[in-house]
Amino acid sequence: SSRKTSNTLNKYNLFNRELAPTQKNLWFLQQMDYSDTSYNMPFLIGMRGKLDYKALHNSFQVLLERNDSLRMYFPTKDGMPEIAISNKVSPYIERIHVNTKEEMESFFEKEAKKPFSLEDGPLYRICLANIKESENYLLFVAHHIIFDGLSSAVCIRSFVEIYNKLILDNQAINIKNTKSYLEYAVDENEWLKSEDADLERNYWSKELSGELPILDFPFIHQESMEDCGMRKKELIDKHLEEKINTIAVNYKITAFTIFLGAYGLLLHKYTHMKDIIIGTPFAGRHERSLYKMIGNFMNPLPIRINIHNKDSIYVYLLQVWNKFQGAYDNQRLPFHEIAHLTKTNRDSQVSPIY
């Protein structure tokens, strides 16, 4: 009985903290629909050759020990969430055997769409599907509140590194992050009270001053735009890639700036608007050490572009570059704070700055 009480206190009270600013947004959004799984972030790893299950299990245990974000969940107190961190570092891995790759994909698709309980955790899920002895597939799913796009790359790279080392010499890798996600959350909430945060507030207040443009597509009814987002990938040929890189070098800008500028011109063509705001996701990892961590750091920011028909392409791209650089230099302020700085009427049908 005393052990149970001790564990409960340790689990719920010892590590309670205020959520990081990026986490607060997602927590409130999830409260609108507990069954919404659009914030689930899955990735798949194919594993060829003989599988060492003990090494696989221990690899994820090292990841859990190293990254406190993976052990986070968010119990509520007086209706508001707090960070709690579980002491459990031994991962549960669901193992199944399937006969075909199609059967595996069907099972994984269902697993990826299962909702998480933010209040109870865990907020990750691991499944291992075996088709034959030398063919295994690993599904990892995490809620966006503890995981972002860059975290996928960090997680995969770290897992492969640890797994291979455990197989070769059976020794765990005891590399600790220089900073925990909990420390990051505390630092960010403290930073919001600083003069540096006020400087960023001033930048975004000026950048988003005046009447904000709302894209008006003549061929799209506003009602039909609800929940119509999608992701589309296109490959560009080698010749076009070389031309884009050459322009970027000559103009001393990045290839991303060229794509961002081209997208702005495309929106201008369809809407005939000269003042356009494009939402762009930023990594939000303003310290080098944060690039080695798993967690939710991503901060979406608005890039405001002005299109003047008399401008040369060089002048236009230089403006896009300067706008992007300005956002980059002021990327620490959370998106919800930026939204509060604007003088717009709230409308669930439109989002003026993203």
Side-chain angles (χ1 to χ4, degrees):
S1 176
S2 61
R3 174 181 293 183
K4 184 175 180 181
T5 302
S6 175
N7 287 343
T8 301
L9 287 172
N10 199 20
K11 183 177 181 182
Y12 282 97
N13 298 323
L14 186 59
F15 292 106
N16 280 349
R17 295 290 190 277
E18 184 179 359
L19 277 64
T22 51
Q23 291 181 319
K24 293 174 185 176
N25 290 343
L26 285 166
W27 185 86
F28 281 109
L29 287 170
Q30 189 69 82
Q31 304 314 298
M32 297 172 67
D33 183 358
Y34 292 105
S35 62
D36 182 11
T37 60
S38 58
Y39 299 110
N40 287 11
M41 302 191 68
F43 66 78
L44 186 67
I45 301 176
M47 306 183 72
R48 301 284 180 172
K50 187 176 180 181
L51 177 71
D52 187 329
Y53 178 75
K54 182 179 179 182
L56 183 146
H57 182 277
N58 290 343
S59 297
F60 276 106
Q61 181 164 323
V62 172
L63 280 175
L64 289 173
E65 291 171 348
R66 186 185 296 181
N67 295 278
D68 60 338
S69 56
L70 292 176
R71 293 179 279 120
M72 285 185 174
Y73 56 102
F74 306 94
T76 56
K77 183 178 181 181
D78 299 325
M80 296 301 293
E82 295 180 322
I83 289 177
I85 302 176
S86 172
N87 286 326
K88 184 178 180 181
V89 295
S90 181
Y92 170 72
I93 302 176
E94 183 174 0
R95 304 173 68 178
I96 64 164
H97 176 78
V98 292
N99 297 314
T100 65
K101 195 172 181 179
E102 291 73 23
E103 188 180 341
M104 175 271 295
E105 290 173 348
S106 176
F107 175 79
F108 279 179
E109 185 177 357
K110 293 176 182 176
E111 287 296 310
K113 292 180 179 178
K114 284 184 179 178
F116 289 104
S117 170
L118 297 188
E119 187 153 355
D120 300 316
L123 300 180
Y124 70 88
R125 190 177 300 122
I126 309 171
C127 303
L128 179 67
N130 165 257
I131 296 181
K132 51 188 177 182
E133 186 177 0
S134 60
E135 186 175 1
N136 295 274
Y137 293 90
L138 185 73
L139 174 71
F140 184 93
V141 191
H143 194 284
H144 193 14
I145 200 169
I146 62 165
F147 208 80
D148 59 16
L150 194 55
S151 294
S152 297
V154 175
C155 191
I156 293 172
R157 183 174 64 248
S158 300
F159 167 74
V160 172
E161 175 193 4
I162 298 167
Y163 180 77
N164 287 335
K165 184 166 179 60
L166 287 173
I167 289 177
L168 289 174
D169 56 22
N170 199 31
Q171 291 184 2
I173 301 177
N174 295 317
I175 301 174
K176 292 186 177 181
N177 290 325
T178 56
K179 190 174 191 175
S180 71
Y181 191 89
L182 180 61
E183 291 171 326
Y184 162 80
V186 172
D187 287 349
E188 291 307 290
N189 286 313
E190 285 298 312
W191 178 84
L192 289 175
K193 307 170 187 175
S194 69
E195 291 183 1
D196 286 343
D198 287 336
L199 291 175
E200 292 202 9
R201 289 186 182 96
N202 291 337
Y203 169 83
W204 288 111
S205 292
K206 293 176 182 177
E207 186 64 19
L208 299 173
S209 62
E211 185 177 352
L212 296 180
I214 297 175
L215 288 178
D216 182 17
F217 292 94
F219 49 85
I220 297 179
H221 293 291
Q222 199 67 50
E223 298 78 21
S224 65
M225 294 183 67
E226 187 175 354
D227 298 327
C228 65
M230 64 176 293
R231 177 179 296 181
K232 186 174 178 60
K233 292 184 179 181
E234 291 287 343
L235 293 176
I236 60 174
D237 62 63
K238 191 71 176 176
H239 178 65
L240 180 57
E241 179 187 3
E242 290 173 353
K243 290 180 69 174
I244 291 171
N245 288 332
T246 299
I247 294 173
V249 170
N250 291 339
Y251 287 1
K252 296 181 180 180
I253 58 178
T254 63
F256 179 80
T257 303
I258 296 175
F259 285 113
L260 184 63
Y263 185 54
L265 290 175
L266 179 67
L267 295 175
H268 167 67
K269 176 184 176 181
Y270 285 125
T271 65
H272 303 291
M273 296 177 67
K274 296 182 178 181
D275 185 10
I276 292 174
I277 298 179
I278 301 174
T280 308
F282 278 70
R285 301 178 185 231
H286 50 81
E287 296 175 14
R288 185 179 296 272
S289 61
L290 300 181
Y291 279 89
K292 298 180 180 180
M293 292 171 56
I294 293 172
N296 178 17
F297 303 88
M298 195 274 289
N299 193 29
L301 297 176
I303 311 293
R304 192 170 191 174
I305 297 173
N306 300 113
I307 299 172
H308 305 287
N309 294 334
K310 293 182 180 180
D311 285 348
S312 66
I313 190 66
Y314 171 73
V315 170
Y316 170 67
L317 287 177
L318 193 61
Q319 181 223 159
V320 174
W321 164 251
N322 288 331
K323 292 283 189 172
F324 178 81
Q325 195 62 43
Y328 182 86
D329 292 339
N330 295 274
Q331 64 171 295
R332 196 168 178 180
L333 195 69
F335 176 75
H336 72 271
E337 285 236 8
I338 296 173
H340 284 310
L341 294 172
T342 63
K343 305 294 189 295
T344 57
N345 295 322
R346 296 303 174 92
D347 187 341
S348 61
Q349 295 293 326
V350 294
S351 178
I353 65 171
Y354 197 78

